[in-house]
Amino acid sequence: MRPIEQLLTQYAAYHRDRRNIATHFFGIPLIVFAIVLALAIVSFPVAGLAITPAALACVAAAAYYFRLDAAFGAAMAAVFFAMCAAASEATARLTDGGALALAAGLFVLGWALQFWGHRFEGMKPAFLDDAKQLLVGPLFVCAEVFFLFGAKPALRRYIEERVGPTVARRAPATAADTR
């Protein structure tokens, strides 16, 4: 089994209810953008260029995702580029305090959506069992977008054979399921 299959299958086990997945389509990008925006407030010059911690974090994350899967890595790099560009525009137009306030608001809204989705799911978020799942969340959303367009059918089949297909409403978890 490849690491991408293992990571996405483990994450998907906590995300089979379509309503939960829908909240993740909005919540996870909001959380990631909030982090990028907060990290874009500070910059330091390197060879005449202003480099931000946001750019460094996005390059590192894209490299990680690219190592797992080239197509997902390329898609994530494009999203990170757009987020860095949007954060650059926001920090140019807002005060540092305004940008941090916006980042904080988006971060809280993103997490509120996440936890609301997990109420539908009837399960706790995956990162509560494994903190590494915080890095898998954005990859999961990317994979779900690919699946919506019919891309990566073998990966989707692999995941669904192990944790089942997504459903309109997941049956409530029993006490035995949470042990």
Side-chain angles (χ1 to χ4, degrees), residues 15-18 21 140 144 156 160 164-168:
H15 303 87
R16 304 320 301 148
D17 187 300
R18 286 188 190 122
I21 293 170
F140 175 78
E144 287 294 322
R156 182 179 192 169
E160 289 181 351
T166 58
V167 295

Side-chain angles (χ1 to χ4, degrees), residues 65-96:
Y65 295 132
F66 192 81
R67 236 180 96 228
L68 291 172
D69 182 273
F72 289 151
M76 294 300 293
V79 169
F80 288 143
F81 178 82
M83 286 185 174
C84 282
S88 178
E89 282 298 313
T91 58
R93 297 174 195 286
L94 300 170
T95 64
D96 289 353

Side-chain angles (χ1 to χ4, degrees), residues 9-32:
T9 300
Q10 182 181 357
Y11 195 88
Y14 293 77
H15 303 87
R16 304 320 301 148
D17 187 300
R18 286 188 190 122
R19 299 167 299 167
N20 186 25
I21 293 170
T23 64
H24 283 55
F25 267 74
F26 296 98
I28 288 176
L30 286 174
I31 293 165
V32 173

Side-chain angles (χ1 to χ4, degrees), residues 31-110:
I31 293 165
V32 173
F33 180 69
I35 293 167
V36 170
L37 178 57
L39 292 175
I41 293 170
V42 177
S43 67
F44 48 92
V46 175
L49 294 173
I51 304 296
T52 65
L56 297 176
C58 286
V59 166
Y64 169 71
Y65 295 132
F66 192 81
R67 236 180 96 228
L68 291 172
D69 182 273
F72 289 151
M76 294 300 293
V79 169
F80 288 143
F81 178 82
M83 286 185 174
C84 282
S88 178
E89 282 298 313
T91 58
R93 297 174 195 286
L94 300 170
T95 64
D96 289 353
L100 278 176
L102 177 59
L106 294 173
F107 190 80
V108 168
L109 177 59

